[in-house]
Amino acid sequence: MKDLIISKWDSILEFLRTQYDITQISFNMWLKNLKCRDVVDDKVILYFEDPNMRSNISFIQNKYSNYIKAAIAEVIDTEIADIEITVDRQEESGSKQPVEKKTVNTGSNNQGISLNPDYTFDNFVVSRNSQMVYAAALKVSEAPGEIYNPLYIYGDPGLGKTHLMHSIAHYITENTPDLKVMYVTSETFTNELIDSIRHGTITPTDFRNKYRNIDVLLIDDIQFIIGKESTQEEFFHTFNYLYEAKKQIVLSSDKPPKDFNKLEDRLRSRFECGLLVDITSPDYETKMAILKKKLEIKQSESASPIIVDDEVLSFIAKSITINIRQLEGALTKLIALSKLNHVPINLELAEYALRDIVFPDRNKTITPEFIIAVVAEHYNISVEEIMSQKRDKVISVPRQIAMYITRKYTNLSQTEIAEAFKRDHATVIHAIKKIQSDLSTNPDIEAKVNVIVKKLNITE
């Protein structure tokens, strides 16, 4: 029987994938690399070569063993008694899981803020450093509320926490459409709570109903509620309500709970009662893979070809040592400079674009072009739209923010800024005053400006 199963193993895997409604992402992660080693007393012994899969064996055994037994029985027409999955000690591959690209359903059951369509499991590059957190996120997506509750993802800014949070939300809305998913930032949670206390557009009852009448709650950057007494209190009760109802909770932060001195002990214990998993900086090979994936996405969104050879990508990967977000920012800046100046992307342009990173001791120069490119990337619009004459809010607000940041962080006069943005002097003055006013009254604008300034790597 062993030889028969081994000879038919590809067919068995294909039967598994097509007949049991297993998503391509799940198949690639949990089943594609399984191999048959032996058959002992009607028990089929399966194994992974990658030792990193050891921590996932129990999950795979419980979730898929019956499917595997049924698939074997169907393909070779022989019943088997049991499945055992193990790991062979061989060299770690560390390579990313291959996935098929598919259209993302933004999910009508998403109750929170809009999800980035590019932040999916398909587009997350898996390395040795991120395999555990990727696997944990996928497990939670496949079985919300049943495993790792809460899931607490932590790590330095820009390493992919938000990408994974969006990926979980996308996966659940796509594959379990009857579940209500809520993805928000801690700032959104706090602002809505303040609004409810002031009896603004939402009442306290509406607020609680919104955050408790859901199946999956994902809150990004949970560290920002620390020290805010009323927010911590409300979140504590929301957490308890959802947890006791076996609803899935996913949190992200820049630190583990034990490192927050001002975090209430009752919240700390709840954060730590599930799975805590960190995400660390990528190695060179992973950075190259990420850059190529980002380039694919940008190419698919561009009307004209974007040609970047491996020498340039290698220069970026070696120069950027901080985080993934900075990698994407560097690539965005490089493409923007190429388009704005109508020059090809080569090593010389890359050295110019990244001179502040590669040569940190030199005086930092922040150009209007770079600011426009980063603002456009943050708002998921094009540089051309910011420079256009469009006046709708989704374009005009990012344009005003770009003008404000240019005025504050460059030595350009308002007249020079007007020339850079192809606007008149009065428009620039209005934009700067508008954002200055919003910063004191609109926490959302303040948060967005702060994030963009961080992306620009500006130190005040």
Side-chain angles (χ1 to χ4, degrees):
M1 186 188 300
K2 170 187 172 182
D3 292 340
L4 179 59
I5 292 177
I6 290 175
S7 68
K8 296 285 188 179
W9 188 243
D10 287 345
S11 299
I12 292 168
L13 288 178
E14 181 64 16
F15 189 92
L16 261 175
R17 187 184 68 81
T18 57
Q19 298 300 313
Y20 296 122
D21 200 27
I22 298 171
T23 68
Q24 188 68 46
I25 293 171
S26 298
F27 176 80
N28 288 337
M29 185 66 188
W30 309 127
L31 302 173
K32 184 174 182 177
N33 295 319
L34 263 180
K35 298 180 180 180
C36 179
R37 184 171 67 191
D38 205 352
V39 178
V40 180
D41 297 331
D42 290 334
K43 177 195 287 187
V44 178
I45 312 297
L46 305 176
Y47 73 98
F48 290 101
E49 293 181 346
D50 184 357
N52 287 319
M53 293 301 292
R54 189 177 305 281
S55 62
N56 302 311
I57 295 300
S58 177
F59 173 81
I60 298 169
Q61 186 93 35
N62 292 335
K63 187 171 181 66
Y64 294 107
S65 59
N66 287 336
Y67 292 126
I68 296 170
K69 285 195 294 184
I72 292 173
E74 287 289 338
V75 174
I76 70 171
D77 196 25
T78 302
E79 296 291 333
I80 62 169
D82 202 3
I83 294 289
E84 179 181 328
I85 303 175
T86 185
V87 171
D88 277 2
R89 292 183 179 275
Q90 293 189 14
E91 182 180 359
E92 296 182 29
S93 64
S95 59
K96 69 173 183 175
Q97 300 292 336
V99 292
E100 288 182 3
K101 179 70 175 177
K102 66 177 182 179
T103 302
V104 175
N105 176 5
T106 55
S108 58
N109 51 336
N110 173 32
Q111 309 292 307
I113 60 181
S114 298
L115 301 173
N116 187 327
D118 292 333
Y119 284 177
T120 66
F121 285 120
D122 297 282
N123 292 333
F124 189 90
V125 177
V126 185
S127 67
R128 287 190 293 269
N129 293 339
S130 62
Q131 189 172 48
M132 182 177 178
V133 66
Y134 180 91
L138 186 52
K139 288 179 185 178
V140 162
S141 303
E142 291 184 323
E146 298 177 17
I147 186 171
Y148 303 154
N149 197 18
L151 175 63
Y152 185 103
I153 303 171
Y154 68 94
D156 291 336
L159 294 180
K161 299 187 299 296
T162 297
H163 189 144
L164 284 173
M165 298 282 278
H166 283 232
S167 297
I168 294 169
H170 275 307
Y171 189 100
I172 296 173
T173 56
E174 178 77 25
N175 296 288
T176 320
D178 56 318
L179 296 185
K180 294 180 180 179
V181 178
M182 171 79 72
Y183 167 81
V184 294
T185 65
S186 62
E187 291 169 312
T188 300
F189 183 89
T190 301
N191 291 338
E192 291 187 356
L193 174 61
I194 293 171
D195 192 43
S196 72
I197 293 172
R198 294 175 178 171
H199 298 287
T201 58
I202 182 172
T203 68
T205 300
D206 291 337
F207 176 86
R208 293 189 178 101
N209 288 338
K210 176 179 179 178
Y211 282 94
R212 298 181 188 184
N213 187 29
I214 55 174
D215 300 292
V216 181
L217 175 64
L218 305 101
I219 298 189
D220 219 346
D221 290 325
I222 194 67
Q223 71 269 15
F224 291 120
I225 75 167
I226 297 172
K228 299 173 181 175
E229 186 175 343
S230 59
T231 305
Q232 284 192 146
E233 181 71 21
E234 186 61 42
F235 180 73
F236 172 77
H237 294 297
T238 298
F239 184 104
N240 282 348
Y241 184 92
L242 294 174
Y243 183 79
E244 290 170 3
K246 299 187 182 304
K247 306 301 184 181
Q248 181 66 52
I249 302 167
V250 184
L251 308 172
S252 81
S253 176
D254 60 350
K255 299 176 183 177
K258 66 180 179 63
D259 287 353
F260 291 113
N261 296 327
K262 296 182 179 180
L263 180 63
E264 295 179 0
D265 287 340
R266 59 179 183 169
L267 275 176
R268 193 191 318 276
S269 65
R270 280 156 179 78
F271 290 170
E272 294 176 342
C273 70
L275 176 68
L276 277 66
V277 60
D278 66 330
I279 184 167
T280 58
S281 299
D283 55 21
Y284 169 78
E285 289 76 14
T286 304
K287 286 188 286 185
M288 283 293 289
I290 290 169
L291 285 168
K292 289 181 179 181
K293 174 64 73 172
K294 297 295 184 184
L295 186 59
E296 283 180 22
I297 294 171
K298 292 181 181 298
Q299 179 63 78
S300 68
E301 297 169 348
S302 175
S304 57
I306 302 174
I307 302 172
V308 186
D309 62 33
D310 282 353
E311 182 184 28
V312 173
L313 295 180
S314 178
F315 175 77
I316 297 174
K318 290 176 180 177
S319 301
I320 304 294
T321 59
I322 299 177
N323 59 48
I324 296 169
R325 187 177 296 135
Q326 199 176 45
L327 271 181
E328 184 171 8
L331 185 62
T332 298
K333 178 181 179 180
L334 191 58
I335 294 171
L337 285 175
S338 171
K339 288 183 176 180
L340 289 169
N341 296 299
H342 305 289
V343 295
I345 297 175
N346 53 31
L347 191 57
E348 181 181 3
L349 184 65
E351 289 175 346
Y352 171 78
L354 304 184
R355 64 195 183 282
D356 298 330
I357 298 170
V358 181
F359 308 108
D361 294 333
R362 294 185 182 177
N363 291 331
K364 183 175 293 185
T365 303
I366 302 296
T367 65
E369 292 80 12
F370 182 30
I371 293 171
I372 292 168
V374 172
V375 171
E377 177 270 334
H378 181 79
Y379 277 93
N380 199 27
I381 59 178
S382 68
V383 170
E384 289 75 15
E385 285 176 310
I386 287 185
M387 299 299 291
S388 73
Q389 298 301 316
K390 293 181 180 179
R391 295 185 178 182
D392 45 312
K393 193 173 182 180
V394 295
I395 305 298
S396 64
V397 171
R399 182 188 297 131
Q400 289 170 345
I401 288 176
M403 290 179 180
Y404 166 81
I405 292 175
T406 302
R407 178 58 175 162
K408 184 172 182 179
Y409 295 104
T410 73
N411 294 321
L412 297 180
S413 67
Q414 291 174 342
T415 300
E416 290 171 324
I417 294 172
E419 292 176 358
F421 282 82
K422 295 182 172 57
R423 293 295 191 281
D424 58 45
H425 185 257
T427 300
V428 173
I429 293 175
H430 169 75
I432 293 170
K433 288 183 177 180
K434 175 69 165 56
I435 298 303
Q436 285 175 334
S437 174
D438 288 346
L439 286 172
S440 61
T441 59
N442 189 332
D444 184 57
I445 290 294
E446 181 183 16
K448 284 182 168 59
V449 170
N450 288 339
V451 169
I452 291 167
V453 169
K454 287 181 181 177
K455 287 186 175 183
L456 290 163
N457 200 29
I458 296 173
T459 55
E460 298 188 69

